[in-house]
């Protein structure tokens, strides 16, 4: 928000406060002033002058010779501008004057005619948007001759570029900034609005029906009337002000709506009444697929979440966002219907982001606008229309309202004030809050320990006690509180189990060659289709944001995989050819129930990873490409870091390749999955090779398992092998478990050392060979004992259906 210091002083008397002092105070109170600009500071020596004579150049037909009264004498100036006449007042730069671009003016000869300095356009003064015709900037008839240009029409203004936080929509106006400074500088005085209100009582001279608000998203709607309008440029000082504050001057009527929006914070829209399809206005929800062509000439396709302003059943504007192209103000407009309304911040914000229309009006509405300000905005704008265009404005506004937001009192307690600010002066707190317009509720009971306050309508962000304490803290500052903070903590601080868990897993992943990624917690709803999630999968029903950043970030993530896949997709599309190993530790959000109207949810800390072998496999070393087994080793390493021994079971995931998908188990409970992506998904995402992923819910391994130690046996081990045919439906872990159960306590370890399928092996089977290590901790086992145990293992496995070899 760019604030004009000169206009700000029309709303608040700050006495001797300088722009730098105000900027420092605003910044420390949370409204950061990013820079202070003085656009006219480099203008030097330029004055207002009057043309006393204008004649053609004696030898150059395209030039004119002007004689100027500069207030201190006369000057002769040659120009090619064709928009001047005798008596016009202009800005004149004599020889030695400097312009914003650093140019110093001098004397120039035009075929024997010396031109001393030059008459200036707005572009030459650094504000090209102020020029309404090509040529010299013509000043008002009452421009004081000889006056310095920097003292006139805002050319010497000081501008504050203020960064406004999203919760402070009230600061997106000069009036809002004046109120803020009134609170920060208690001796300052707010001034009344600098224009007359047009509370007309005449009936409209044209037939017009009622205003209907079937959509509750429109809180209030007011329509004012201006007749006998003459479209013309706005006064110079207002064109300069609009340009300084980031708006392009267009015409007096359009400029009025923009100016009032900038200074009051109330967006307005002007309709050419004669172009309205009907003599009524309705604010309703759009029909699905309904469309409107907006002022920028683009057709917008709408949904029922969008609000439309219609007339005669036809759309004429997107409520709070942008007007339609058929009812705008034109050069032939003579009757203006002026809209001032209060719209739902959520609804306007949704439409603005969905359609990508970042209008100034939508920017303000989506951050909340004072719902009681719309009528005042219309009155002030009509007053300016009368002054700028000679319009007739004494007509009664047509209005309609829905339920306005209820203002709820907020109680401040001395105990909480002391807790947060280490300060508890309730009388001083009351003065501070009332300085910001938050008045004490005298009707409510007050005591030494608590007081109740009523926030103003322009401060919807003040809703709980902590908000009141924040206002007090913003005024007092937090630097003094540092001296009151305790020195040494009573005990040593602790990182906490979740932080320690993340650190341990992060270190392990980095050591195994992974790179950490941080992706958005928001996803497009399309991720459900990308991962082929069925309707009965809880991950297919994400929580939707009420006020999303954009349509691409509308749903809370139910899995970390889409963010990683999107990162790989963008990297591959940009030409990345090397292997990719990404991991992320983050939180996923799942609905508590499948009902969309139920907003309850659960959150889980999760670790996910993605492995892609790249598109250039050439290497002078042996093949190092990852596969499902190497990725499994990474999962095992991560879990063993926490002292857990994982198990893997055949699993299925909607996005997993059949036969290359496994459930990850800890203590018999599934905590995640390991899979290669389905080839169909790899093709849809344009991945030229296999992509492996795993995702683990890490909250169940937050508390690490302590390792168990025992003395090494001093007695020798004996090894035996066993080979058998195993059906393809059996996993290695299942066979290992059965061998351990059959062998008993004397089996120290068992490992798979060979697997074969092919010639000589029946279809549906594979040959698996295991090495069994037997050892006792109190004696040396003899061959007879070992043979007995080992034969028992073979017999047991045979009884369980294995074909021993």
């Amino acid at each position: 928000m760019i604030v004009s210091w000169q206009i700000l002083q029309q709303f608040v008397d700050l006495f001797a406060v300088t722009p730098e002092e105000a900027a420092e105070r605003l910044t420390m109170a949370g409204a950061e002033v990013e820079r202070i600009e003085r656009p006219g500071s480099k203008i030097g020596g330029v004055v207002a002058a009057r043309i006393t004579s204008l004649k053609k150049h004696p030898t150059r037909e395209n030039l004119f010779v002007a004689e100027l009264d500069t207030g201190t004498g006369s000057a002769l100036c040659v120009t090619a501008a064709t928009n001047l006449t005798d008596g016009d007042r202009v800005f004149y730069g004599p020889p030695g004057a400097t312009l914003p671009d650093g140019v110093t003016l001098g004397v120039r000869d035009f075929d024997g005619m010396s031109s001393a300095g030059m008459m200036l356009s707005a572009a030459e003064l650094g504000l090209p948007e102020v020029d309404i015709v090509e040529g010299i900037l013509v000043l008002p008839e009452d421009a004081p001759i000889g006056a310095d240009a920097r003292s006139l029409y805002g050319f010497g203004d000081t501008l504050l570029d203020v960064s406004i936080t999203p919760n402070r929509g009230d600061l997106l106006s000069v009036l809002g900034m004046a109120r803020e400074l009134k609170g920060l500088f208690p001796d300052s005085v707010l001034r009344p609005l600098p224009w007359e209100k047009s509370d007309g009582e005449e009936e409209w001279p044209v037939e017009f029906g009622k205003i209907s608000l079937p959509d509750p998203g429109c809180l209030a709607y007011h329509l004012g009337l201006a007749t006998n309008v003459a479209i013309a440029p706005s006064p110079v000082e207002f064109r300069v002000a609009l340009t300084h504050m980031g708006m392009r001057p267009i015409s007096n009527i359009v400029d009025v709506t923009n100016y009032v929006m900038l200074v009051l914070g109330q967006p307005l829209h002007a309709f050419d009444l004669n172009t309205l399809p009907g003599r009524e206005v309705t604010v309703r929800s759009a029909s699905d697929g309904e469309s409107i062509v907006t002022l920028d000439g683009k057709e917008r396709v709408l949904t029922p979440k969008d609000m439309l302003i219609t007339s005669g059943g036809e759309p004429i504007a997107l409520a709070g966002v942008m007007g339609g192209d058929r009812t705008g103000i034109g050069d032939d407009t003579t009757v203006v219907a002026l809209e001032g309304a209060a719209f739902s911040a959520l609804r306007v914000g949704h439409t603005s982001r969905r359609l990508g229309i970042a209008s100034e009006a939508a920017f303000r509405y989506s951050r909340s606008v004072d719902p009681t300000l719309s009528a005042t905005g219309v009155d002030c704008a009509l007053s300016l229309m009368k002054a700028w265009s000679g319009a007739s404005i004494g007509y009664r506004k047509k209005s309609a309202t829905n339920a306005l937001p209820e203002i709820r009192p907020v109680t401040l307690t001395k105990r909480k004030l002391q807790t947060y600010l280490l300060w508890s002066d309730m009388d001083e707190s009351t003065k501070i809050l009332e300085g910001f317009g938050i008045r004490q509720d005298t009707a409510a009971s007050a005591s030494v320990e608590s007081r109740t306050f009523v926030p103003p309508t322009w401060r919807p962000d003040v809703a709980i006690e902590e908000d009141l304490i924040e206002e007090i803290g913003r005024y007092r500052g937090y630097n003094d509180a540092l001296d009151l903070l305790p020195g040494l903590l009573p005990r040593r601080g602790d990182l906490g189990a979740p932080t320690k868990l993340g650190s341990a897993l992060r270190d392990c992943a980095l050591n195994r060659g992974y790179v950490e990624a941080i992706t958005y917690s928001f996803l497009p709803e399309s991720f459900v289709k990308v991962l082929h999630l069925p309707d009965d999968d809880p991950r297919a029903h994400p929580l939707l944001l009420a006020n999303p950043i954009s349509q691409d970030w509308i749903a809370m993530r139910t899995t970390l995989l889409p963010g990683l896949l999107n990162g790989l997709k963008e990297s591959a599309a940009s030409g990345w050819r090397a292997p990719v190993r990404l991991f992320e530790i983050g939180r996923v959000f799942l609905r508590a129930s499948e009902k969309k109207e139920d907003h309850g949810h659960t959150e889980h800390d999760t670790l996910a990873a993605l492995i892609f072998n790249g598109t250039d496999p050439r290497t002078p070393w042996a093949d190092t490409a990852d596969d499902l087994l190497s990725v499994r080793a990474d999962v095992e390493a991560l879990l063993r870091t926490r002292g857990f021994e994982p198990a893997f079971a055949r699993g299925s995931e909607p996005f997993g390749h059949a036969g290359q998908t496994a459930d990850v188990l800890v203590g018999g409970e599934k905590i995640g999955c390991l899979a290669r992506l389905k080839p169909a998904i790899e093709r849809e995402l344009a991945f030229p090779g296999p992509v492996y992923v795993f995702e683990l819910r890490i909250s169940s391994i937050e508390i690490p398992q302590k390792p168990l130690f025992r003395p090494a046996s001093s007695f020798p081990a004996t090894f035996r092998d066993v080979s058998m045919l195993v059906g393809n439906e059996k996993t290695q872990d299942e066979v290992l478990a059965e061998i351990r159960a059959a062998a008993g306590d004397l089996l120290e370890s068992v490992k798979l050392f060979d697997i074969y399928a092919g010639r000589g092996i029946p279809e549906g089977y594979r040959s698996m060979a295991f090495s069994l290590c037997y050892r006792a901790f109190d004696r040396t086992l003899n061959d007879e004992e070992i043979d007995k145990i080992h034969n028992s293992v073979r017999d047991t496995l045979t009884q369980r259906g294995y074909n021993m070899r």
Side-chain angles (χ1 to χ4, degrees), residues 6 10 56 85 135 140 192 333 391 418 422 525 593 676 702 761:
Q6 290 186 4
Q10 299 175 22
K56 279 189 171 291
T85 60
T333 297
Q418 175 67 31
L422 305 178
E525 283 189 278
S593 73
R676 175 190 166 180
E702 187 173 287
I761 303 299

Side-chain angles (χ1 to χ4, degrees), residues 144-266:
I145 297 174
D148 190 314
R150 290 174 297 182
S151 68
L152 299 176
Y153 312 118
F155 278 94
D157 201 357
T158 298
L159 307 177
L160 276 61
D161 190 352
V162 189
S163 177
I164 308 299
T165 55
N167 65 316
R168 292 300 305 273
D170 62 299
L171 295 184
L172 292 171
S173 66
V174 176
L175 175 60
M177 203 60 65
R179 289 168 173 159
E180 182 78 352
L181 288 169
K182 169 65 179 73
L184 297 174
F185 295 94
D187 294 334
S188 60
V189 178
L190 286 175
R191 302 179 189 271
L193 294 181
W195 321 292
E196 296 180 3
K197 283 191 176 183
S198 63
D199 292 326
E201 292 299 327
E202 297 181 28
E203 294 297 330
W204 285 28
V206 294
E207 181 182 351
F208 200 91
K210 67 176 183 177
I211 296 172
S212 302
L213 308 180
D215 192 321
C218 180
L219 311 179
Y221 194 95
H222 304 280
L223 205 62
L225 181 68
T227 60
N228 302 317
V229 170
I231 302 298
S234 303
V236 172
E237 64 181 289
F238 293 99
R239 301 205 306 270
V240 171
L242 286 169
T243 302
H244 277 161
M245 292 191 285
M247 302 291 287
R248 180 173 62 89
I250 297 174
S251 70
N252 50 4
I253 301 302
V254 176
D255 291 351
V256 161
T257 63
N258 289 333
Y259 186 77
V260 171
M261 177 185 66
L262 291 173
V263 296
L264 294 188
Q266 173 62 53

Side-chain angles (χ1 to χ4, degrees), residues 1 35 177 188 205 334 405 551 591 630 646 734 767:
M1 172 70 188
R35 61 180 179 271
M177 203 60 65
S188 60
T334 57
Q551 288 301 109
R591 289 183 181 274
S630 67
E734 291 172 337
S767 173

Side-chain angles (χ1 to χ4, degrees), residues 51 72 75 99 139 269 276 289 308 333 342 406 417 470 591 719 760 800:
I51 299 176
T72 57
L99 301 183
L139 304 179
H269 186 72
L276 294 182
L308 266 183
T333 297
E406 181 182 353
L417 187 62
E470 181 183 10
R591 289 183 181 274
F719 295 88
R800 293 183 178 179

Side-chain angles (χ1 to χ4, degrees), residues 1-3 19-20 23 26-27 31-38 158-163 244:
M1 172 70 188
I2 299 176
V3 180
E20 286 74 17
L26 286 168
T27 298
E32 181 185 0
V33 179
E34 296 183 343
R35 61 180 179 271
I36 300 175
E37 292 183 306
R38 292 179 170 85
T158 298
L159 307 177
L160 276 61
D161 190 352
V162 189
S163 177
H244 277 161

Side-chain angles (χ1 to χ4, degrees), residues 275 292-298 315-317 322-329:
T275 64
I292 180 176
V293 178
T294 46
L295 281 170
D296 55 5
K298 296 181 180 179
I316 58 173
M322 186 175 285
D325 69 334
R326 296 193 301 167
T327 57
I329 302 300

